Amino acid sequence: MLNGMTGKILRVNLTAGSWEIEILSEEFYRLYPGGKALAGYILLNEMPANVDPLSPENVMVIANGLLTGAPVSTTTRFVVSARSPLTNTYGESEAAGFWGPELKMAGFEAIVVKGKSPSPVYLWIQDGEVEIRAADHLWGQQPAEVQDAIRTELSDNKIRVLQIGIGGENQVRFAGITNDLRHFNGRNGMGAVMGSKNLRAVAVRGKTRYQAIAHDPKALKALGSKLAKRVKENPQSWALQNTGTPGLVEPLNTSGMLPTRNFLQGAFEKVDQIKWEVYESELLTARRSCYACAIRCKREVRVDGEPSVYGGPEYESIGSLGPNCGVGDIHAIAKANELCNAYMLDTISTGMTISFAMECFEHGLLTLDDTDGLELRFGNAEAMLTMIEWIAHRKGLGDLLAEGVMRAAEEISGSQYFALHVKGQELPMHEPRGKYNVGMGYAISEIGADHLVVAHDGMLANEDGIPFKNARPLGITEAQSVLSMNDEKMRQFYILEKVTSLEKVIGYCFFGPAPRGYILIEEVVDSVNAATNWDIKLDELLMIGERATNMARVFNAREGFTRKDDTLPERLFNPLENGALEGESFPRDEFESALTVLYGLKGWQPETGIPTRERLDSLSLGWAADLLE
Ligand code: SF4
């Protein structure tokens, strides 16, 4: 009997305007319990290779984690997956908030969307009932207007709305998806995929609380209560509640790891104008949370003196639209963040694409003719705001930049060096030249540059630190330098990646479980068992994480990705220009050797990076090995 899940998958065919419900077995879910694992299984089995990501043949999966909606801190997450139009790889983007828990309460683990509607539509899901409704009147509107319109139309102001914006409608390759206006599946262009299907929104409402489907609701409640009280005891988690991710700006600048001017530099001379204290006094109106989360890292802000409905900028958005573009005006950054959210563009890729264009302009590779007279220089906040508008509407140079830096660089002669991406996805705001596992994560990630592959190096560099102590159950017992890629560090990388992948399968936020967060590894195991009655052990859970990563890897291998794609942009192999890490570069030879060691640990072929049949068989993925043959 299924516990902790409804077992139901909603399958929607937008071409036919039809839907049906599939119920899968407990045996299936034990291998692929949700999120990344469920999405990976469906994509690999139901989509052939070489599908155009923006065609009706692309399959989009929206999948809750196993525990999403449980009354346990940070179990909020769901993934959206499809072939990515930005990278052509397996695509994936995660979000927290309240929408995933509401989908679970409405009776579904996941939604599989196929085909393309002949005209704009939205899905309305309520307690197991489904309707495909016309959305012509919502097309071209901003998310706040769309959310209001749907709630009014359906006479329920508690409906949770997942939706794209004008960026997704215009198939900007890094368009994202928003829920409740302030939580985002930002990365990998999943909003463009949704837009290509003429699917503007998915509205959900449900009444079945997670406790009603859990095996041991009392144990889950007790764990939830314990975790609610314990946040203060963990400095990393407590800092997130106090400052949120914007609190990272100043410390990263001090340590020389605040990406500045398109990763040319690691320190920003105007950091005092954008640090947390300024954010707090100039922008902050409230601290908020996601469903049942005790960390409460979300910020509410005012923009142009008015409360913004789109949430406050996170560290990633401040970094990409601030120092990375040479902009030191906290109000301009907040405005840029709001514009990205209102058009539903990924803030990281937007900022990185504009910084790429700014550097091209500084070097004369783009001229005033190309920019329609815009002085697109580092530090020009007005030009940045204008360019966000142009990207969303694909106007002027914005049409080219809407393709992302990899494709834009193919059109701008001599600009390749300024295009900072891995597999086509623009770099997040973490500096690999100061934390090598982050660089390895960027290179090896199946979705292109991603900062959520492993807990960052600093967490495990200090044996006296709480994160290091909490990592011991994982077999991590030796602290490693942040500037090392030795064999032991790669062994730790291999383990930590399984943990993060598991989080994406069972629905925990990256900030929740140890070593990054305050929830002990044994409590993660306990929570799964209280929900499911599986009596599952840590080893099997880590294997689930590894299985999910391998399915994504097989997807990419089938699309022709190999070892040559697991690399970093050339600039990172060159020295940083300023800051505490001035002169540091990412060590190319050490990286290549470490990559070979890591492939060995993962059971991937050293020359190609493709999983061996032996490893796939050991992960119960023999069927995936067959796909490669
Ligand atoms: S830690 Fe932050 S992002 Fe994660 S679930 Fe909690 S409030 Fe949401």
mmCIF file of all heavy atoms in Angstrom, residues 73-77 95-97 183 237 240 245 288-299 314 507-512 518, ligand 1:
data_model
loop_
_atom_site.group_PDB
_atom_site.id
_atom_site.type_symbol
_atom_site.label_atom_id
_atom_site.label_comp_id
_atom_site.label_asym_id
_atom_site.label_seq_id
_atom_site.Cartn_x
_atom_site.Cartn_y
_atom_site.Cartn_z
ATOM 1 N N SER A 73 10.122 20.938 8.159
ATOM 2 C CA SER A 73 10.787 22.122 7.632
ATOM 3 C C SER A 73 11.540 21.848 6.325
ATOM 4 O O SER A 73 12.296 20.880 6.227
ATOM 5 C CB SER A 73 11.785 22.626 8.680
ATOM 6 O OG SER A 73 12.377 23.816 8.255
ATOM 7 N N THR A 74 11.330 22.701 5.342
ATOM 8 C CA THR A 74 11.978 22.752 4.015
ATOM 9 C C THR A 74 11.535 21.669 3.020
ATOM 10 O O THR A 74 12.111 21.578 1.938
ATOM 11 C CB THR A 74 13.529 22.776 4.070
ATOM 12 O OG1 THR A 74 14.046 21.474 4.274
ATOM 13 C CG2 THR A 74 14.079 23.751 5.098
ATOM 14 N N THR A 75 10.509 20.887 3.344
ATOM 15 C CA THR A 75 10.019 19.913 2.348
ATOM 16 C C THR A 75 8.996 20.608 1.437
ATOM 17 O O THR A 75 7.783 20.372 1.535
ATOM 18 C CB THR A 75 9.373 18.682 3.015
ATOM 19 O OG1 THR A 75 8.417 19.131 3.972
ATOM 20 C CG2 THR A 75 10.403 17.812 3.695
ATOM 21 N N THR A 76 9.510 21.430 0.548
ATOM 22 C CA THR A 76 8.638 22.313 -0.234
ATOM 23 C C THR A 76 8.793 22.157 -1.742
ATOM 24 O O THR A 76 8.065 22.771 -2.497
ATOM 25 C CB THR A 76 9.015 23.775 0.059
ATOM 26 O OG1 THR A 76 10.391 23.954 -0.302
ATOM 27 C CG2 THR A 76 8.844 24.126 1.511
ATOM 28 N N ARG A 77 9.769 21.356 -2.171
ATOM 29 C CA ARG A 77 10.241 21.538 -3.548
ATOM 30 C C ARG A 77 9.603 20.627 -4.588
ATOM 31 O O ARG A 77 9.170 19.523 -4.305
ATOM 32 C CB ARG A 77 11.751 21.327 -3.579
ATOM 33 C CG ARG A 77 12.458 22.410 -2.792
ATOM 34 C CD ARG A 77 13.659 22.915 -3.513
ATOM 35 N NE ARG A 77 13.913 24.282 -3.123
ATOM 36 C CZ ARG A 77 14.688 25.130 -3.789
ATOM 37 N NH1 ARG A 77 15.259 24.750 -4.889
ATOM 38 N NH2 ARG A 77 14.860 26.343 -3.376
ATOM 39 N N ALA A 95 11.899 24.695 -7.722
ATOM 40 C CA ALA A 95 11.371 25.838 -6.965
ATOM 41 C C ALA A 95 10.795 25.345 -5.655
ATOM 42 O O ALA A 95 10.405 24.182 -5.502
ATOM 43 C CB ALA A 95 10.299 26.568 -7.764
ATOM 44 N N ALA A 96 10.740 26.278 -4.709
ATOM 45 C CA ALA A 96 10.062 26.021 -3.431
ATOM 46 C C ALA A 96 8.755 26.817 -3.438
ATOM 47 O O ALA A 96 8.188 27.057 -4.494
ATOM 48 C CB ALA A 96 10.989 26.439 -2.290
ATOM 49 N N GLY A 97 8.280 27.184 -2.269
ATOM 50 C CA GLY A 97 7.041 27.955 -2.195
ATOM 51 C C GLY A 97 5.908 27.122 -1.635
ATOM 52 O O GLY A 97 6.109 26.291 -0.722
ATOM 53 N N HIS A 183 8.262 32.751 -6.097
ATOM 54 C CA HIS A 183 9.105 31.543 -6.051
ATOM 55 C C HIS A 183 9.320 31.107 -7.500
ATOM 56 O O HIS A 183 8.369 31.107 -8.280
ATOM 57 C CB HIS A 183 8.432 30.433 -5.243
ATOM 58 C CG HIS A 183 7.987 30.889 -3.884
ATOM 59 N ND1 HIS A 183 8.842 31.047 -2.826
ATOM 60 C CD2 HIS A 183 6.762 31.252 -3.437
ATOM 61 C CE1 HIS A 183 8.174 31.473 -1.766
ATOM 62 N NE2 HIS A 183 6.914 31.616 -2.110
ATOM 63 N N SER A 237 21.994 28.198 9.183
ATOM 64 C CA SER A 237 20.547 28.293 8.971
ATOM 65 C C SER A 237 19.990 29.560 9.615
ATOM 66 O O SER A 237 19.113 30.227 9.058
ATOM 67 C CB SER A 237 19.848 27.056 9.554
ATOM 68 O OG SER A 237 20.364 25.890 8.952
ATOM 69 N N LEU A 240 20.557 32.544 7.523
ATOM 70 C CA LEU A 240 19.599 32.632 6.423
ATOM 71 C C LEU A 240 18.301 33.282 6.890
ATOM 72 O O LEU A 240 17.668 34.038 6.158
ATOM 73 C CB LEU A 240 19.301 31.242 5.847
ATOM 74 C CG LEU A 240 20.337 30.684 4.870
ATOM 75 C CD1 LEU A 240 20.015 29.234 4.531
ATOM 76 C CD2 LEU A 240 20.383 31.510 3.590
ATOM 77 N N THR A 245 19.657 35.160 1.810
ATOM 78 C CA THR A 245 20.851 35.034 0.971
ATOM 79 C C THR A 245 21.521 36.383 0.662
ATOM 80 O O THR A 245 22.730 36.402 0.384
ATOM 81 C CB THR A 245 20.540 34.287 -0.346
ATOM 82 O OG1 THR A 245 19.480 34.976 -1.020
ATOM 83 C CG2 THR A 245 20.109 32.852 -0.070
ATOM 84 N N ARG A 288 9.788 36.380 4.985
ATOM 85 C CA ARG A 288 8.735 35.402 4.697
ATOM 86 C C ARG A 288 9.330 34.007 4.560
ATOM 87 O O ARG A 288 10.543 33.829 4.573
ATOM 88 C CB ARG A 288 8.023 35.763 3.397
ATOM 89 C CG ARG A 288 7.177 37.014 3.474
ATOM 90 C CD ARG A 288 5.733 36.715 3.847
ATOM 91 N NE ARG A 288 4.902 37.894 3.700
ATOM 92 C CZ ARG A 288 4.740 38.819 4.656
ATOM 93 N NH1 ARG A 288 5.351 38.703 5.804
ATOM 94 N NH2 ARG A 288 3.954 39.856 4.445
ATOM 95 N N SER A 289 8.447 33.048 4.364
ATOM 96 C CA SER A 289 8.858 31.650 4.324
ATOM 97 C C SER A 289 8.195 30.918 3.172
ATOM 98 O O SER A 289 7.332 31.471 2.491
ATOM 99 C CB SER A 289 8.459 30.995 5.643
ATOM 100 O OG SER A 289 8.911 29.670 5.673
ATOM 101 N N CYS A 290 8.609 29.679 2.980
ATOM 102 C CA CYS A 290 7.872 28.750 2.125
ATOM 103 C C CYS A 290 7.044 27.852 3.044
ATOM 104 O O CYS A 290 7.159 27.917 4.268
ATOM 105 C CB CYS A 290 8.826 27.897 1.300
ATOM 106 S SG CYS A 290 9.883 28.831 0.185
ATOM 107 N N TYR A 291 6.285 26.964 2.438
ATOM 108 C CA TYR A 291 5.405 26.060 3.171
ATOM 109 C C TYR A 291 6.156 25.333 4.305
ATOM 110 O O TYR A 291 7.173 24.670 4.061
ATOM 111 C CB TYR A 291 4.826 25.033 2.192
ATOM 112 C CG TYR A 291 3.940 24.000 2.815
ATOM 113 C CD1 TYR A 291 2.575 24.219 2.957
ATOM 114 C CD2 TYR A 291 4.466 22.792 3.265
ATOM 115 C CE1 TYR A 291 1.759 23.260 3.528
ATOM 116 C CE2 TYR A 291 3.655 21.829 3.843
ATOM 117 C CZ TYR A 291 2.307 22.070 3.972
ATOM 118 O OH TYR A 291 1.503 21.126 4.547
ATOM 119 N N ALA A 292 5.685 25.492 5.504
ATOM 120 C CA ALA A 292 6.178 24.749 6.681
ATOM 121 C C ALA A 292 7.655 24.941 6.977
ATOM 122 O O ALA A 292 8.225 24.207 7.781
ATOM 123 C CB ALA A 292 5.893 23.245 6.532
ATOM 124 N N CYS A 293 8.305 25.897 6.354
ATOM 125 C CA CYS A 293 9.753 26.036 6.545
ATOM 126 C C CYS A 293 10.080 26.900 7.753
ATOM 127 O O CYS A 293 9.553 28.002 7.897
ATOM 128 C CB CYS A 293 10.399 26.625 5.300
ATOM 129 S SG CYS A 293 12.174 26.847 5.531
ATOM 130 N N ALA A 294 10.966 26.404 8.583
ATOM 131 C CA ALA A 294 11.363 27.138 9.791
ATOM 132 C C ALA A 294 12.545 28.062 9.539
ATOM 133 O O ALA A 294 12.869 28.888 10.387
ATOM 134 C CB ALA A 294 11.703 26.139 10.896
ATOM 135 N N ILE A 295 13.210 27.906 8.414
ATOM 136 C CA ILE A 295 14.371 28.776 8.138
ATOM 137 C C ILE A 295 13.906 30.180 7.759
ATOM 138 O O ILE A 295 14.466 31.172 8.202
ATOM 139 C CB ILE A 295 15.266 28.159 7.035
ATOM 140 C CG1 ILE A 295 15.880 26.850 7.538
ATOM 141 C CG2 ILE A 295 16.378 29.134 6.654
ATOM 142 C CD1 ILE A 295 16.762 26.130 6.534
ATOM 143 N N ARG A 296 12.884 30.289 6.928
ATOM 144 C CA ARG A 296 12.287 31.584 6.559
ATOM 145 C C ARG A 296 13.302 32.518 5.904
ATOM 146 O O ARG A 296 13.585 33.608 6.403
ATOM 147 C CB ARG A 296 11.686 32.262 7.804
ATOM 148 C CG ARG A 296 10.583 31.470 8.478
ATOM 149 C CD ARG A 296 10.090 32.151 9.744
ATOM 150 N NE ARG A 296 9.519 33.464 9.488
ATOM 151 C CZ ARG A 296 8.301 33.690 9.064
ATOM 152 N NH1 ARG A 296 7.497 32.671 8.848
ATOM 153 N NH2 ARG A 296 7.877 34.917 8.849
ATOM 154 N N CYS A 297 13.857 32.110 4.785
ATOM 155 C CA CYS A 297 14.896 32.947 4.158
ATOM 156 C C CYS A 297 14.357 33.954 3.159
ATOM 157 O O CYS A 297 15.125 34.725 2.594
ATOM 158 C CB CYS A 297 15.950 32.058 3.500
ATOM 159 S SG CYS A 297 15.440 31.376 1.903
ATOM 160 N N LYS A 298 13.056 33.958 2.882
ATOM 161 C CA LYS A 298 12.523 34.823 1.828
ATOM 162 C C LYS A 298 12.370 36.267 2.314
ATOM 163 O O LYS A 298 12.061 36.502 3.482
ATOM 164 C CB LYS A 298 11.162 34.315 1.338
ATOM 165 C CG LYS A 298 11.135 32.855 0.975
ATOM 166 C CD LYS A 298 12.106 32.467 -0.106
ATOM 167 C CE LYS A 298 11.674 32.924 -1.466
ATOM 168 N NZ LYS A 298 12.591 32.362 -2.510
ATOM 169 N N ARG A 299 12.585 37.200 1.400
ATOM 170 C CA ARG A 299 12.497 38.642 1.728
ATOM 171 C C ARG A 299 11.391 39.307 0.913
ATOM 172 O O ARG A 299 11.168 38.963 -0.243
ATOM 173 C CB ARG A 299 13.795 39.392 1.390
ATOM 174 C CG ARG A 299 15.102 38.804 1.894
ATOM 175 C CD ARG A 299 15.309 38.894 3.372
ATOM 176 N NE ARG A 299 14.765 37.752 4.066
ATOM 177 C CZ ARG A 299 15.208 37.271 5.227
ATOM 178 N NH1 ARG A 299 16.214 37.835 5.838
ATOM 179 N NH2 ARG A 299 14.630 36.240 5.805
ATOM 180 N N GLU A 314 17.258 37.812 -4.317
ATOM 181 C CA GLU A 314 18.137 36.883 -3.608
ATOM 182 C C GLU A 314 19.583 37.256 -3.912
ATOM 183 O O GLU A 314 19.856 38.066 -4.808
ATOM 184 C CB GLU A 314 17.896 35.450 -4.107
ATOM 185 C CG GLU A 314 16.502 34.912 -3.909
ATOM 186 C CD GLU A 314 16.230 34.492 -2.476
ATOM 187 O OE1 GLU A 314 17.193 34.445 -1.686
ATOM 188 O OE2 GLU A 314 15.068 34.225 -2.157
ATOM 189 N N GLY A 507 12.288 16.209 -2.209
ATOM 190 C CA GLY A 507 11.594 17.482 -2.015
ATOM 191 C C GLY A 507 12.166 18.411 -0.973
ATOM 192 O O GLY A 507 11.578 19.462 -0.695
ATOM 193 N N TYR A 508 13.308 18.055 -0.365
ATOM 194 C CA TYR A 508 13.932 18.976 0.591
ATOM 195 C C TYR A 508 14.609 20.125 -0.148
ATOM 196 O O TYR A 508 15.243 19.926 -1.196
ATOM 197 C CB TYR A 508 15.006 18.253 1.421
ATOM 198 C CG TYR A 508 14.490 17.551 2.653
ATOM 199 C CD1 TYR A 508 14.371 16.170 2.687
ATOM 200 C CD2 TYR A 508 14.143 18.281 3.789
ATOM 201 C CE1 TYR A 508 13.911 15.514 3.831
ATOM 202 C CE2 TYR A 508 13.695 17.633 4.933
ATOM 203 C CZ TYR A 508 13.577 16.264 4.952
ATOM 204 O OH TYR A 508 13.124 15.622 6.084
ATOM 205 N N CYS A 509 14.527 21.322 0.437
ATOM 206 C CA CYS A 509 15.255 22.481 -0.075
ATOM 207 C C CYS A 509 16.754 22.272 0.160
ATOM 208 O O CYS A 509 17.164 21.643 1.145
ATOM 209 C CB CYS A 509 14.770 23.720 0.667
ATOM 210 S SG CYS A 509 15.658 25.233 0.269
ATOM 211 N N PHE A 510 17.577 22.819 -0.729
ATOM 212 C CA PHE A 510 19.039 22.734 -0.597
ATOM 213 C C PHE A 510 19.510 23.266 0.759
ATOM 214 O O PHE A 510 20.530 22.821 1.287
ATOM 215 C CB PHE A 510 19.668 23.550 -1.736
ATOM 216 C CG PHE A 510 21.164 23.482 -1.835
ATOM 217 C CD1 PHE A 510 21.801 22.324 -2.256
ATOM 218 C CD2 PHE A 510 21.949 24.583 -1.537
ATOM 219 C CE1 PHE A 510 23.186 22.259 -2.370
ATOM 220 C CE2 PHE A 510 23.338 24.535 -1.649
ATOM 221 C CZ PHE A 510 23.951 23.363 -2.063
ATOM 222 N N PHE A 511 18.754 24.213 1.322
ATOM 223 C CA PHE A 511 19.157 24.811 2.602
ATOM 224 C C PHE A 511 18.716 23.976 3.810
ATOM 225 O O PHE A 511 18.997 24.351 4.940
ATOM 226 C CB PHE A 511 18.552 26.213 2.752
ATOM 227 C CG PHE A 511 19.118 27.225 1.793
ATOM 228 C CD1 PHE A 511 18.313 28.227 1.266
ATOM 229 C CD2 PHE A 511 20.446 27.186 1.423
ATOM 230 C CE1 PHE A 511 18.831 29.173 0.388
ATOM 231 C CE2 PHE A 511 20.977 28.121 0.536
ATOM 232 C CZ PHE A 511 20.160 29.118 0.022
ATOM 233 N N GLY A 512 17.980 22.878 3.576
ATOM 234 C CA GLY A 512 17.432 22.122 4.703
ATOM 235 C C GLY A 512 18.401 21.126 5.321
ATOM 236 O O GLY A 512 18.947 21.360 6.409
ATOM 237 N N TYR A 518 20.493 22.440 8.584
ATOM 238 C CA TYR A 518 20.497 22.046 9.993
ATOM 239 C C TYR A 518 19.776 20.737 10.261
ATOM 240 O O TYR A 518 19.756 20.252 11.402
ATOM 241 C CB TYR A 518 19.873 23.160 10.838
ATOM 242 C CG TYR A 518 18.367 23.247 10.796
ATOM 243 C CD1 TYR A 518 17.599 22.956 11.920
ATOM 244 C CD2 TYR A 518 17.707 23.612 9.631
ATOM 245 C CE1 TYR A 518 16.225 23.034 11.897
ATOM 246 C CE2 TYR A 518 16.333 23.695 9.596
ATOM 247 C CZ TYR A 518 15.591 23.405 10.731
ATOM 248 O OH TYR A 518 14.230 23.480 10.691
HETATM 249 S S1 SF4 B 1 15.096 27.713 3.259
HETATM 250 FE FE1 SF4 B 1 14.216 29.474 2.148
HETATM 251 S S2 SF4 B 1 13.932 28.750 0.009
HETATM 252 FE FE2 SF4 B 1 14.265 26.925 1.306
HETATM 253 S S3 SF4 B 1 12.188 26.261 1.824
HETATM 254 FE FE3 SF4 B 1 12.869 27.607 3.488
HETATM 255 S S4 SF4 B 1 12.137 29.682 2.994
HETATM 256 FE FE4 SF4 B 1 11.999 28.408 1.114
#
